[in-house]
Amino acid sequence: MLSAAREGNTAVRGDTVLVQSPEAQAARIRVPFHRPSIGEDEVAEVVDTLRSGWLTTGPKVRRFEQDFAAAVGARHALAVNSGTAALHLALEAAGVKAGDEVIVPTYTFAATGEVVTYLGARPVLADCRPDTLNIDATTIEPHLTARTKAIVPVHVAGQACDMDPIMDLARARGLAVVEDAAHAIPTTYKDRPIGAIGDLTAFSFYATKAIATGEGGMVTTERDEHAARVKRMSLHGLSEDAWNRYTERGRWYYEIVDFGFKYNLTDVAAALGIHQLRRTAEFHQRRRQIARTYSEAFADLDTCVAPREVAYGTHAWHLYVLELRLEALSGSRDDLVEGLRQRGVATSVHFIPLHLHPVYATAFGYRPGAFPTAETVFRRAVSLPIYPQLADDDVALVIEAVRDTLKALRR
Ligand SMILES: Cc1ncc(COP(=O)(O)O)c(C=O)c1O
């Protein structure tokens, strides 16, 4: 059965729970699931944009793209208005068409699967590994058919998938690899930042992400033709010079050369992104510190398991997914969520596997039991607050609340 995390006065948005009303926050929630980190540089850059007279895609987007490409070591970075748009355009550029199949982990957010259907293709789900929560070559391979066109590895929580075997498998079968890197800033795989490994990579700058612009996303790629395709399709399929038509060097003339989409990022959002990106290391250091403090504080408990870090990469710590040892507990994950809420700590659950959602049953016939690892992980998973604005006192409060609640739920 599905059990979306619904928590009193908090709003649930699929992959996050955000405290909405200040009253609710004052009355009950002492540690919200997320608080953004917006500094004075971000504010000043947004104000500068507002005063510049240029609100939509312009010079700040260009700067953000250049800075982002440099940060992840990619040849091209194309800014768009959401991570979902980035995934859609990346799959489109990779050549996914109606009737194709695309391998998608069941353990992910709605966006990863839905974009496949935008193109008339079919998301074919694959199970995750119990340790990293990611798909790997062994969970992908059984689902490959003559129709498979692409694989979408998701770096869940900010921990890299084991990309070499996935790339080998894809190359051997002539498949495209589009990475869902919504959680993966700044994730590395074998000392390389995520962003230039697969054919195309999609990032998200949604409000709760490591780099936040409210809504926003980026596609990175090494290939010139993919970059040109993404750029064209992100603005109605217009010919290249349409981007410049309102600038001094622009002309009024343009041609519609494809049926595209309206996915361009605004300069207002890019103004935030430019400064958020510069703070990546600062943000990451704090997230890593919090993760270490949590893991040390839970190490002696036999009622839960801290998230494991792989040796081959750097974890971005976008999420801290604690796994419950249900066999040692008399209650469920939902009891922990409720116990934490009563102690003023907001949590979330990542993820309700895609195949358990109604539309995947009606459209594709998926049933509970299809992906046992993802289902087990889902039943045991709770995401604790982790973000740079979380003070040491907040971290201590979360630890105390988790330890107390688990003790109360112990068999
Ligand atoms: C794994 C994953 N992929 C894709 C997305 C979509 O990103 P956006 O919300 O920017 O469209 C999300 C968003 O939260 C996500 O968690």
Side-chain angles (χ1 to χ4, degrees):
M1 232 2 250
L2 286 183
S3 83
R6 282 229 162 263
E7 331 198 358
N9 291 324
T10 60
V12 180
R13 183 230 178 244
D15 74 331
T16 52
V17 180
L18 303 171
V19 173
Q20 279 204 318
S21 79
E23 304 82 70
Q25 195 165 343
R28 285 220 300 243
I29 298 298
R30 293 156 76 193
V31 184
F33 188 68
H34 183 75
R35 289 192 204 103
S37 297
I38 301 298
E40 287 309 312
D41 287 345
E42 284 90 325
V43 172
E45 196 76 46
V46 169
V47 170
D48 179 69
T49 310
L50 298 179
R51 293 205 168 114
S52 75
W54 194 276
L55 301 183
T56 188
T57 310
K60 305 238 162 149
V61 167
R62 293 288 160 273
R63 217 163 94 201
F64 186 32
E65 289 176 335
Q66 284 162 8
D67 293 354
F68 197 89
V72 303
R75 186 168 158 79
H76 300 281
L78 295 313
V80 290
N81 59 14
S82 72
T84 307
L87 279 169
H88 181 192
L89 292 173
L91 284 173
E92 201 276 340
V96 173
K97 296 202 167 35
D100 289 341
E101 293 177 357
V102 176
I103 306 290
V104 169
T106 190
Y107 202 68
T108 187
F109 184 54
T112 322
E114 92 197 19
V115 292
V116 175
T117 71
Y118 294 179
L119 296 162
R122 178 188 167 120
V124 173
L125 303 179
D127 211 345
C128 64
R129 293 173 55 98
D131 51 357
T132 61
L133 318 183
N134 286 330
I135 57 170
D136 70 9
T138 66
T139 66
I140 292 167
E141 198 157 9
H143 305 288
L144 299 179
T145 72
R147 289 174 190 258
T148 313
K149 179 78 189 186
I151 301 169
V152 187
V154 179
H155 306 295
V156 173
Q159 174 132 269
C161 296
D162 191 2
M163 290 303 295
D164 283 347
I166 295 175
M167 294 305 295
D168 289 347
L169 181 64
R171 295 296 173 249
R173 305 278 192 126
L175 308 175
V177 174
V178 170
E179 291 170 73
D180 181 337
H183 302 178
I185 303 173
T187 300
T188 64
Y189 175 70
K190 298 190 176 172
D191 297 327
R192 296 167 64 192
I194 293 297
I197 299 173
D199 295 285
L200 300 110
T201 305
F203 294 88
S204 164
F205 309 127
Y206 174 67
T208 61
K209 297 296 195 286
I211 300 298
T213 63
E215 302 287 352
M218 192 78 77
V219 181
T220 59
T221 181
E222 295 301 280
R223 304 253 298 261
D224 297 352
E225 71 276 19
H226 285 341
R229 181 77 188 170
V230 167
K231 186 163 179 169
R232 173 186 293 175
M233 296 303 276
S234 69
L235 193 70
H236 305 298
L238 303 186
S239 51
E240 194 64 9
D241 46 356
W243 282 92
N244 299 320
R245 70 195 191 282
Y246 297 120
T247 65
E248 280 166 22
R249 63 202 162 93
R251 293 194 304 143
W252 60 266
Y253 183 77
Y254 60 86
E255 287 178 352
I256 304 165
V257 287
D258 259 301
F259 295 115
F261 311 97
K262 181 63 162 64
Y263 280 162
N264 53 306
L265 190 73
T266 67
D267 261 24
V268 179
L272 287 170
I274 288 165
H275 291 280
Q276 289 271 293
L277 185 64
R278 287 182 193 164
R279 299 173 67 194
T280 303
E282 167 203 331
F283 289 160
H284 185 227
Q285 193 188 4
R286 180 62 184 152
R287 285 178 185 272
R288 189 147 56 175
Q289 208 172 47
I290 295 166
R292 200 172 299 141
T293 308
Y294 279 157
S295 293
E296 281 168 12
F298 304 139
D300 65 320
L301 300 181
D302 63 359
T303 44
C304 66
V305 182
R308 280 142 294 202
E309 274 188 86
V310 295
Y312 57 67
T314 314
H315 199 313
W317 294 111
H318 167 59
L319 301 172
Y320 185 93
V321 182
L322 188 69
E323 179 190 328
L324 301 188
R325 290 192 61 246
L326 292 177
E327 53 282 13
L329 295 169
S330 59
S332 67
R333 184 270 320 284
D334 293 355
D335 295 320
L336 175 68
V337 167
E338 176 55 20
L340 293 178
R341 191 187 66 79
Q342 284 174 10
R343 288 168 171 82
V345 175
T347 56
S348 189
V349 174
H350 297 87
F351 291 97
I352 305 166
L354 292 183
H355 73 280
L356 298 182
H357 288 278
V359 73
Y360 279 84
T362 50
F364 306 119
Y366 283 113
R367 296 279 177 267
F371 301 103
T373 307
E375 288 174 37
T376 303
V377 168
F378 164 56
R379 272 196 303 277
R380 293 167 167 249
V382 59
S383 298
L384 302 182
I386 185 166
Y387 45 91
Q389 291 289 304
L390 206 61
D392 289 346
D393 285 355
D394 298 325
V395 175
L397 198 147
V398 174
I399 289 169
E400 192 187 321
V402 169
R403 290 187 65 99
D404 284 357
T405 312
L406 286 177
K407 197 169 164 189
L409 291 173
R410 209 170 184 296
R411 241 183 232 288

